[in-house]
Every structure is written in structure tokens, then in C-alpha cells.
Amino acid sequence: MSDWSKARAALEAARNIVVLTGAGVSAESGVPTFRDTDGLWHRFRPEELATPEAFRDDPRLVWEWYGWRRERVAACAPNAGHLSLARLALGPRGVTVVTQNVDDLHERADDEMQPGTGGAGPLHLHGSLFRSRCTACGVSYPDREPVDATDEDSLPRCPACGGLARPDVVWFGELLDEDLLRRAFRLARDADVCLVVGTSSVVYPAASVPRYTRAGGGFVIEVNPSRTPLSALADAVLQGPAGGMIPPLVADLWSP
Ligand code: BJW
Ligand code: ZN
């Protein structure tokens, strides 16, 4: 049996599916990934820019980068990969998307498939580009405003206390939200299938999600144009882009 047939059979038989996504699921929408050759970090290494130390040393530079990404994502639209995952979630199977992405393309795909319902939305393990958090009082709030990073005085400020705000994302060395992570691991352990799409599978603890599915006796499918450290552990490895692979992989699974 080919990996494709094994993956399709596992999805057909599944009652609960966890989908773990990374930057690659949004690549065909025009959102740059991190570690590919044309990725966001051709000039800076993620470990250098996405850290609390980088923000402490140069908040203007970090905000400039996040402001640019906020605008870039706002100008992109969900692709066929996001849309078919959103459609899959409307079917009889329990489907939870756990994403490392800070974009909002899964939510926008859900909204396109089922307008106005709001939906549960994905679990955003690494936070959101469209939320900010106060470095003084800790309040987190929705923020879609353009960022003025001309100088330190023009940077986003907390609406409650006026303190310096920061992007509400998880940087290296910071803890992920404990409840969210526990939920993701529990869902993965109880899932029949973990579908892992467009992640290099090098950043932990997110990269552990499919390991919980394996530990619970479930089936792991990887969709990625390149091999990753997960490939050797996955039950089926489908080499190709998300927008091309996901629609035929989940086709018709939304009907009972
Ligand atoms: C396509 C495609 C297409 C292309 N279709 N696919 C040693 C061992 C284990 C852990 C550690 C360690 N040393 C340090 C750590 C901990 C560290 C870590 O994991 N580091 C590793 C790099 C080694 N982790 C942390 O620090 C985490 N916190 C933590 O562990 O707390 C406890 C602790 C505290 C103190 C000290 C130590 C531990 C936090 C991690 C936070 C990551 N944050 C970022 C930035 C978030 C905000 C933002 O977006 O700006 O999250 S980094 C960046 O990487 C971002 C991403 O979510 C994350 C993952 O990247 P992703 O999504 O996989 O993207 P890429 O670019 O890497 O891959 C894209 C993939 O798509 C590729 O495979 C392509 O082939 C593919 N692709 N086109 C499908 N069309
Ligand atoms: Zn505040």
C-alpha cells in the first residue's frame, strides 16, 4: 500500500483528528516561512530576533518586523489547504487544528466555510500577530493597528496603563500557555490521526504533538515538500505542498 493510500484509509477510519500546522501551510498564501531559503530569517536567525532579549535590546527593530508581518498577513488570503481543513471540520469527525502560526488564516478559512458562526478557531500555541500584551501590567488585547516603528516613542502602548506593549507571541525561552499546551497534548494523545502540515518539526514543545498521537496508538501523517526530523517517525510521509496535497487527501470526508 502506498503512503497516500495508508493516509487516506487512516483518515476515513478516524473519529478524532488533530491537525498540527506550521508556516508551510500558509506559504502558498504568500506568508513567508522561517527556515526555508526564501524564509523570514535569511537576515536574522529566529533564535536571535524572536527572543525576549532582542525585544529588551531593540524593541523598535522587533516591532518594525512584527508590524511588517501584520500588514503582510492582512493582505493574504487562506489557500486551498486552509479551506479544505476548515471544510473537514464541518464533517462528522472531531477535528482540532493546533497551529504554531501567528497568522489568522485558519480562522478566516473557517469563516469562509461557515460564515458568521465564529467557530472554535485553532489553538494558537505561539500566540497571534493580531494581539499585543503590556510589558508593565500584562494585559493582552486584540490589536490590528498598523505599527509606527519610527522611534521608541511611537511604539504601541497599553490602552490600560500606557506601558510599552509587545507582540503577544511566544518567543524562544518563553513558556507556552500551560492550559493550551495541555489541551493540545491531550487531544493529540486521544486522536486516531495526527496530520502534520508544513512544519520543520524542530521547535519544541510544539514538535512533540504528533509523538503524543503515536504514544496513544494513533497514526501520524506528514505533508511537507521536504523531509524533516518527523519523517522517520511518521506512518505516512506525503511529499508536496499543502495547497496541492490537502484537498485531495481530505476530499469527501466531510460527508457522513
Ligand atoms: C511547506 C510548504 C508548502 C514550505 N506546503 N509545507 C534543544 C532541544 C529541544 C528544545 C530546545 C533545545 N534548545 C532550546 C530549546 C527550546 C526551544 C526550541 O525548541 N529550540 C529549537 C530551535 C532547538 N523552544 C522554546 O524556547 C519554546 N519554549 C520553551 O521550550 O520553554 C521552555 C524553556 C524555557 C527556557 C529555556 C528552555 C526551554 C518556545 C518556542 C517559541 C517559538 N517561537 C517562534 C516565533 C513565534 C512568533 C512569530 O511567529 O514570530 O515560533 S520561532 C518560529 O518557529 C515560530 C514558528 O511557529 C516556529 C516553527 O516554525 P515552523 O512553523 O516549523 O516553520 P519553518 O520555517 O521552520 O518550517 C516551514 C516548513 O514548511 C518547512 O519544513 C518547509 O519544507 C515547509 N513548507 N512550503 C507545506 N507549500
Ligand atoms: Zn498596561
Side-chain angles (χ1 to χ4, degrees), residues 21-28 32-36 39-41 46-47 50 65-66 69 99-102 126-127 129 169-176 197-206 223-228 240-243:
T21 65
V25 77
S26 300
E28 289 152 90
T33 62
F34 294 97
R35 295 173 185 80
D36 291 315
L40 279 174
W41 278 320
E47 293 78 357
W65 187 56
Y66 278 92
R69 289 174 63 201
T99 189
Q100 298 167 81
N101 298 345
V102 295
H126 292 164
L129 271 181
V169 300
V170 182
W171 286 322
F172 283 109
E174 295 187 317
L175 294 176
L176 280 69
V197 185
T199 173
S200 56
S201 291
V202 296
V203 175
Y204 282 84
V223 175
N224 197 311
S226 307
R227 286 189 68 83
T228 74

